[in-house]
Amino acid sequence: MRLIILITLLTLSFSSFAAVYRWVDENGKVHYSDEPQSNASEMELNKNTQNTISINPPKLLNNNSNQTNSNINYSVAILSPSEEATIRSNTGTIKVSASISPRLPQGAFYTLLLNGQIKVQPQASSMFTLSNVDRGEHTIVVNVVTQNGKVLASSSPRTIFLHRASL
């Protein structure tokens, strides 16, 4: 039984060394095949035609990378609205934009606090839109937090005034 399997495997391996033929048809299109054609020429294949992929070994992350982020002093600033700005919006919409210096670290997000309460869930964008805010005086703060909720940086509180028409 082993002899039959060995002969079959050898026969299959010898048949895998088939020649490759190249020919050009009457339209000028180039064709390749393992079967000879009338105007085909046999091609010699170089051993370097095989594709190889090299995979770099993964870089190990050490626990010092989190300590590096905590040693950096991040600075968050609210770009708009300005301090003590009066916003007139009958729908109660307030648009807030902020910036961070240096760049937002990987795995960190922005949050917006209105009057000390988180009004916008953590997000990667520094642009916020608050809707249906009551009229009056409000304090806004933008925080940069890590995924586990640790505050990396916080903007200084900014006081704004919202004017809305009342019924």
Side-chain angles (χ1 to χ4, degrees):
M1 182 68 176
R2 290 183 186 177
L3 183 62
I4 295 173
I5 293 174
L6 180 64
I7 292 173
T8 306
L9 289 176
L10 287 174
T11 307
L12 289 175
S13 66
F14 287 128
S15 65
S16 67
F17 292 110
V20 176
Y21 299 96
R22 176 184 185 269
W23 76 94
V24 179
D25 65 7
E26 59 275 351
N27 296 328
K29 187 173 181 181
V30 179
H31 297 275
Y32 297 93
S33 176
D34 59 349
E35 298 175 6
Q37 301 292 322
S38 60
N39 59 348
S41 61
E42 186 174 341
M43 294 189 57
E44 292 184 23
L45 299 177
N46 297 333
K47 292 184 179 182
N48 293 338
T49 58
Q50 296 179 352
N51 293 334
T52 58
I53 298 174
S54 62
I55 299 175
N56 296 331
K59 295 180 182 177
L60 297 176
L61 296 177
N62 53 13
N63 293 336
N64 296 336
S65 64
N66 292 340
Q67 294 172 355
T68 307
N69 285 345
S70 64
N71 294 338
I72 298 174
N73 290 328
Y74 293 102
S75 173
V76 180
I78 298 175
L79 302 176
S80 69
S82 60
E83 178 67 31
E84 295 189 355
T86 300
I87 300 169
R88 290 175 171 78
S89 173
N90 288 336
T91 59
T93 302
I94 300 174
K95 295 188 181 210
V96 179
S97 67
S99 69
I100 185 171
S101 177
R103 203 177 88 203
L104 184 69
Q106 185 176 12
F109 301 97
Y110 293 97
T111 59
L112 178 72
L113 283 75
L114 180 70
N115 302 325
Q117 297 179 346
I118 295 178
K119 291 294 181 180
V120 176
Q121 293 302 316
Q123 64 183 29
S125 172
S126 63
M127 305 291 290
F128 303 95
T129 302
L130 299 171
S131 58
N132 201 21
V133 178
D134 292 333
R135 66 184 185 164
E137 180 180 336
H138 299 284
T139 304
I140 55 175
V141 175
V142 175
N143 289 339
V144 174
V145 296
T146 59
Q147 289 178 341
N148 59 4
K150 178 183 174 188
V151 177
L152 292 178
S154 187
S155 70
S156 57
R158 182 155 297 181
T159 303
I160 58 169
F161 303 97
L162 179 64
H163 285 221
R164 279 180 86 167
S166 62
L167 296 174

